Amino acid sequence: MSETRERMIATAMQLFRQSGYHGTSWRTLVEAAGTPWGSVHHHFPGGKEELGVAAIAFASRGMVAAIESVFAEARSPAEAVRKWCRLSGEQLEKSEFVEGCPVATVALETSSSSSALASATKKAFDEWCAAIAAHLEADGIPAKRAAQLATLTLITLEGALLVARVSRSKQPMLLVADELAQRVDAEPRTARRPSKRRA
Amino acid sequence: MSETRERMIATAMQLFRQSGYHGTSWRTLVEAAGTPWGSVHHHFPGGKEELGVAAIAFASRGMVAAIESVFAEARSPAEAVRKWCRLSGEQLEKSEFVEGCPVATVALETSSSSSALASATKKAFDEWCAAIAAHLEADGIPAKRAAQLATLTLITLEGALLVARVSRSKQPMLLVADELAQRVDAEPRTARRPSKRRA
Amino acid sequence: MSETRERMIATAMQLFRQSGYHGTSWRTLVEAAGTPWGSVHHHFPGGKEELGVAAIAFASRGMVAAIESVFAEARSPAEAVRKWCRLSGEQLEKSEFVEGCPVATVALETSSSSSALASATKKAFDEWCAAIAAHLEADGIPAKRAAQLATLTLITLEGALLVARVSRSKQPMLLVADELAQRVDAEPRTARRPSKRRA
Amino acid sequence: MSETRERMIATAMQLFRQSGYHGTSWRTLVEAAGTPWGSVHHHFPGGKEELGVAAIAFASRGMVAAIESVFAEARSPAEAVRKWCRLSGEQLEKSEFVEGCPVATVALETSSSSSALASATKKAFDEWCAAIAAHLEADGIPAKRAAQLATLTLITLEGALLVARVSRSKQPMLLVADELAQRVDAEPRTARRPSKRRA
DNA sequence: ACATACGGGACCTCCCGTTGCT
DNA sequence: AGCAACGGGAGGTCCCGTATGT
């Protein structure tokens, strides 16, 4: 796959979460990415919307990888969630409160209009929930509760990233880190199956 | 005060939460509001940004009023929070998942660029937190914890509205309604001062 | 006559020669003049064109007065012309090369379009020529030659003001001062009637 | 080089000398030139100012070519100057007094504001003076005097074109044709080097 | 794969004139 | 005399998609 195309997508993800979908133009994109402006239509025949969908999918893959990573390294789901929130907060702070959720901005902009982008963002959120839920289930939480808890986790993280960006402080991230960790820890297990605790 | 200007602001709030700041054009606005296109510059000499700031402030006032209303009618903060979440969910559903938070979209779009809009959104969130915290304090929760809990409430509600819009379901709202209510109820009080419980 | 109206006209003359007729807006004018924006239409029912005509006429009166003054004070037409050029050059330099001819800019902009402004500028030039010619005639130059010489003087002064403004130097003014003076002096008189030489 | 861009520039020169810089809109331009309105920004990324600078430069090249041509064909500088003035007058009359100097209008409009256009007009005048001066020098006039005389020629021609346009008569052009020719002829030569007199 | 050019249209800004109310 | 508001429209900028050559 073309390296130009990939850099466009990665840059688009960055610009979308800063200025949103409508606030990012092709010109801004190619200037930021340093990619040739002449072959935009070649790489994205579907136009800007195709770029948007690709950027959302790219962001989603990255987030799923991050989830897997943080759960793999943590000794318990609660710890994983706490770590995840804290890492997100630090990334946010390091980036001068620019690198929040790469999907949320586009999601809010397009959920009432474009179907392709709207379903791409919905798919992203679903994937993240599923990834979290899988780890909760693996820790002994019943599927139904695991799904709810995963949704709650996503909700809280997204809300915290929003509030943290706006208030330009990572305090909200630290706040939800503990809250979520406690909440996850308090969830009753059917058969405590310490999936990753033997290492 | 001009009624035209007010209708523009109210309409802008609606359009901003649907399509965001950059996705809403003056033309769209004046067509939706039925206001004259020619006097835009008269009512908002500061341009679109001035409209945005006014719309955010307007939305903020409305939200503070809603908070006051729901806390005034409820017998306890926990119940108020539960009701708030459920009402928000129903409003969202009734509006075909359009009427989410009127500030969040603009907040995410502009938090990394325009200072006027960014500070307007920050101010809005601060006002909401303060309003919630006041009611928690009135119920006997120490100021510091009240502020944290208020922030957590805001975070959770915002996150839930985001996820609910994207998934086109009010389930997330119902989920956080109970979670938040339990959370608020479980918070220890110094001197349980049942402010509004006697009715 | 309203003092507001007069200040508008005087300010318009200044702005017109800086930025031209089309480059000067009502808003710019009222801000520069400090006059009320609400009563523009009251003072100039004919709109911007009426303002333009008034400003041209005002400028023309001022120029005629300047011509009379410089010829009255000088001992000969040649000296008057020399002095006139030098004074114009100094005024130009003092004003940072802004205060050139108050009519020329509008004249060039409108000579191919608006009839009212075009005839106003034509009238202004005619008045100036007539004023100069009168003094030349009074010095013994036959009417026909006096008219030609007056036109030549106007032409040269206008051209010099143009070139001086563009090159941001008063050299062109000094150059034409001597050239014109010599030219006027060399013109044969029928009966040298030293009109203003005995006082 | 794009033919569209060239036609835009040539048309801009025409419109600028009729209505000036601010009086000429992009819409007017593209309609007059028959060029696509959509690719304006492609050909002139610097906006209208870039068009203005290009039009001034284009006009300057044309004028230099005209100067070279008229001096090449004439047997003496005096005759060249006389011819130049007369040709300009005829062109002016034929065009219904529209085609005056293509630079003067913009020069007056912008000499007190935009630096890019102001320096473009200054450069144009400098080039014309240099071209004239070169021919005067070639005829035996000392460099310093040649430069002055060239400036005087430019001044007089510009002034005459202005007055002729305003008065809608080519008389001023004929008047200065003889005046300038006499003036140039009267200038003393160091070594009369009749450069082009052998034909 | 990339570049140059086309092409319509939407963007926000601001202009200029008018209307009714002080 | 002054003013706030109206009201249509044009201002220049820029967007997004397409077509044509390399």
Side-chain angles (χ1 to χ4, degrees):
Chain A
M1 189 158 315
S2 164
E3 193 252 340
T4 293
R5 188 184 143 97
E6 300 227 333
R7 195 156 67 228
M8 282 181 170
I9 292 173
T11 310
M13 185 192 74
Q14 285 284 359
L15 295 178
F16 285 165
R17 68 173 156 190
Q18 281 179 44
S19 312
Y21 179 75
H22 293 113
T24 304
S25 72
W26 277 114
R27 166 172 298 221
T28 317
L29 176 69
V30 295
E31 278 176 7
T35 47
W37 153 248
S39 53
V40 159
H41 186 243
H42 174 260
H43 291 298
F44 301 94
K48 197 180 171 186
E49 194 171 67
E50 182 179 341
L51 171 70
V53 171
I56 297 294
F58 175 76
S60 181
R61 286 195 301 274
M63 187 63 88
V64 168
I67 292 169
E68 295 303 329
S69 162
V70 79
F71 273 91
E73 290 175 8
R75 283 171 320 194
S76 73
E79 197 188 322
V81 166
R82 178 184 279 115
K83 200 171 177 182
W84 186 16
C85 291
R86 290 191 174 161
L87 281 175
S88 301
E90 267 155 41
Q91 186 192 359
L92 189 63
E93 195 180 37
K94 238 180 284 180
S95 67
E96 296 256 19
F97 300 97
V98 160
E99 299 190 358
C101 175
V103 169
T105 312
V106 180
L108 285 175
E109 278 182 293
T110 62
S111 77
S112 313
S113 50
S114 158
S115 56
L117 279 169
S119 62
T121 54
K122 175 167 165 39
K123 184 155 163 270
F125 279 180
D126 287 346
E127 287 167 357
W128 303 353
C129 274
I132 302 166
H135 287 285
L136 297 179
E137 270 191 77
D139 201 59
I141 298 176
K144 199 164 186 179
R145 286 299 298 153
Q148 286 186 342
L149 205 47
T151 303
L152 183 65
T153 304
L154 176 64
I155 285 171
T156 312
L157 188 69
E158 287 291 342
L161 280 169
L162 165 58
V163 173
R165 275 194 79 189
V166 169
S167 56
R168 300 186 74 82
S169 153
K170 71 171 174 182
Q171 280 307 114
M173 305 308 300
L174 302 180
L175 177 62
V176 298
D178 291 336
E179 289 285 340
L180 269 182
Q182 283 178 30
R183 181 62 187 78
V184 168
D185 219 26
E187 186 70 25
R189 267 69 169 173
T190 49
R192 193 167 261 266
R193 202 168 15 130
S195 58
K196 309 205 178 63
R197 202 155 310 181
R198 76 241 136 197
Chain B
M1 182 85 46
S2 166
E3 194 250 340
T4 294
R5 188 184 142 97
E6 300 225 334
R7 194 156 69 230
M8 281 181 170
I9 293 173
T11 311
M13 185 192 72
Q14 285 285 358
L15 295 179
F16 284 164
R17 68 173 158 190
Q18 281 179 46
S19 313
Y21 180 74
H22 294 112
T24 303
S25 72
W26 277 114
R27 166 176 296 227
T28 316
L29 176 69
V30 297
E31 279 175 6
T35 46
W37 161 240
S39 26
V40 158
H41 187 247
H42 174 258
H43 291 296
F44 302 93
K48 198 181 174 185
E49 193 171 68
E50 184 179 340
L51 170 71
V53 170
I56 297 294
F58 175 75
S60 181
R61 286 194 302 272
M63 186 62 90
V64 168
I67 292 169
E68 296 303 329
S69 161
V70 80
F71 272 91
E73 290 175 8
R75 281 172 320 197
S76 73
E79 195 188 321
V81 168
R82 179 184 279 112
K83 200 172 177 183
W84 186 17
C85 291
R86 290 193 172 159
L87 281 175
S88 301
E90 268 157 40
Q91 185 191 2
L92 189 63
E93 194 179 38
K94 237 180 287 180
S95 67
E96 295 257 19
F97 301 97
V98 159
E99 298 189 358
C101 174
V103 169
T105 313
V106 180
L108 285 176
E109 279 181 292
T110 63
S111 77
S112 312
S113 50
S114 158
S115 56
L117 279 170
S119 62
T121 54
K122 175 167 165 40
K123 186 155 163 273
F125 279 180
D126 286 347
E127 287 167 357
W128 304 352
C129 275
I132 303 167
H135 287 286
L136 297 179
E137 269 191 79
D139 201 58
I141 298 176
K144 199 163 184 180
R145 287 298 298 153
Q148 286 186 341
L149 205 49
T151 303
L152 183 66
T153 305
L154 176 64
I155 285 172
T156 312
L157 188 70
E158 288 291 342
L161 282 168
L162 165 58
V163 172
R165 277 194 77 191
V166 169
S167 58
R168 300 186 72 83
S169 151
K170 71 171 175 183
Q171 281 308 114
M173 304 308 299
L174 303 181
L175 176 63
V176 299
D178 292 335
E179 288 285 340
L180 268 183
Q182 283 178 30
R183 181 63 188 79
V184 168
D185 220 25
E187 185 71 24
R189 268 72 170 173
T190 48
R192 191 169 262 264
R193 197 165 25 123
S195 56
K196 310 204 177 66
R197 200 158 309 182
R198 79 242 128 194
Chain C
M1 187 157 317
S2 163
E3 193 253 339
T4 293
R5 188 184 143 97
E6 301 228 331
R7 195 156 66 228
M8 281 180 171
I9 292 173
T11 310
M13 185 193 72
Q14 284 285 0
L15 295 179
F16 285 165
R17 69 173 155 190
Q18 281 180 44
S19 312
Y21 179 74
H22 292 113
T24 303
S25 71
W26 277 115
R27 167 172 297 223
T28 316
L29 175 69
V30 297
E31 278 175 7
T35 47
W37 151 250
S39 50
V40 159
H41 185 244
H42 175 261
H43 291 298
F44 301 94
K48 197 181 171 184
E49 194 170 68
E50 182 179 341
L51 171 70
V53 171
I56 297 295
F58 174 76
S60 182
R61 286 195 301 273
M63 187 63 90
V64 169
I67 292 169
E68 296 302 331
S69 162
V70 80
F71 272 91
E73 290 175 7
R75 281 171 322 197
S76 73
E79 195 188 321
V81 167
R82 179 184 278 115
K83 198 172 179 183
W84 186 17
C85 292
R86 291 194 173 160
L87 281 176
S88 301
E90 267 155 42
Q91 185 192 359
L92 190 63
E93 195 179 38
K94 238 180 285 180
S95 67
E96 296 256 20
F97 301 96
V98 160
E99 299 190 358
C101 174
V103 170
T105 313
V106 180
L108 285 175
E109 277 182 294
T110 62
S111 77
S112 312
S113 50
S114 160
S115 56
L117 279 169
S119 62
T121 55
K122 176 167 165 38
K123 185 156 165 269
F125 279 179
D126 287 346
E127 288 166 358
W128 304 352
C129 274
I132 302 166
H135 287 284
L136 296 179
E137 270 192 77
D139 201 59
I141 298 176
K144 199 163 185 179
R145 287 299 298 152
Q148 285 186 343
L149 205 48
T151 302
L152 183 65
T153 304
L154 176 63
I155 285 172
T156 312
L157 188 68
E158 289 291 341
L161 281 169
L162 165 59
V163 172
R165 275 194 78 190
V166 169
S167 56
R168 301 185 73 81
S169 153
K170 71 172 175 183
Q171 281 307 113
M173 305 307 301
L174 302 181
L175 177 63
V176 299
D178 291 335
E179 289 285 339
L180 269 182
Q182 284 179 30
R183 181 62 187 79
V184 168
D185 220 26
E187 185 71 24
R189 266 71 171 174
T190 50
R192 192 169 262 263
R193 200 171 17 127
S195 57
K196 310 206 177 65
R197 202 153 314 176
R198 77 238 126 191
Chain D
M1 183 84 48
S2 166
E3 194 250 340
T4 295
R5 187 186 144 97
E6 302 226 332
R7 195 157 66 231
M8 282 181 170
I9 292 172
T11 310
M13 186 193 71
Q14 285 286 359
L15 295 179
F16 284 165
R17 68 172 157 189
Q18 282 179 45
S19 313
Y21 181 73
H22 293 113
T24 303
S25 71
W26 276 114
R27 165 174 297 224
T28 315
L29 176 68
V30 297
E31 280 175 4
T35 45
W37 160 239
S39 23
V40 159
H41 186 246
H42 174 257
H43 290 296
F44 302 93
K48 198 182 175 185
E49 192 171 71
E50 184 179 342
L51 171 71
V53 170
I56 297 295
F58 175 76
S60 182
R61 286 194 302 272
M63 186 62 89
V64 168
I67 292 169
E68 296 303 328
S69 162
V70 80
F71 272 91
E73 290 174 10
R75 282 172 320 196
S76 73
E79 196 188 321
V81 167
R82 178 185 279 114
K83 200 173 178 182
W84 186 17
C85 291
R86 290 193 173 161
L87 281 175
S88 301
E90 268 156 41
Q91 185 191 1
L92 189 63
E93 193 179 38
K94 236 179 288 180
S95 67
E96 296 257 20
F97 301 96
V98 158
E99 298 189 359
C101 175
V103 169
T105 313
V106 180
L108 285 176
E109 280 181 290
T110 62
S111 77
S112 312
S113 50
S114 160
S115 57
L117 279 169
S119 62
T121 54
K122 173 165 166 41
K123 185 156 165 271
F125 279 180
D126 286 346
E127 287 167 357
W128 303 353
C129 275
I132 303 166
H135 287 285
L136 297 178
E137 269 192 78
D139 201 58
I141 298 176
K144 200 163 184 179
R145 285 299 297 155
Q148 286 186 342
L149 206 47
T151 303
L152 183 64
T153 305
L154 176 64
I155 285 171
T156 312
L157 188 68
E158 288 292 341
L161 282 169
L162 165 58
V163 172
R165 276 194 76 190
V166 169
S167 57
R168 300 186 73 82
S169 152
K170 72 172 173 182
Q171 281 307 115
M173 304 307 301
L174 303 181
L175 177 63
V176 299
D178 292 335
E179 289 285 339
L180 269 182
Q182 283 178 31
R183 182 61 188 80
V184 168
D185 220 26
E187 185 71 22
R189 267 69 171 173
T190 49
R192 191 169 262 264
R193 199 170 19 128
S195 56
K196 310 210 177 63
R197 201 151 314 177
R198 80 244 136 200

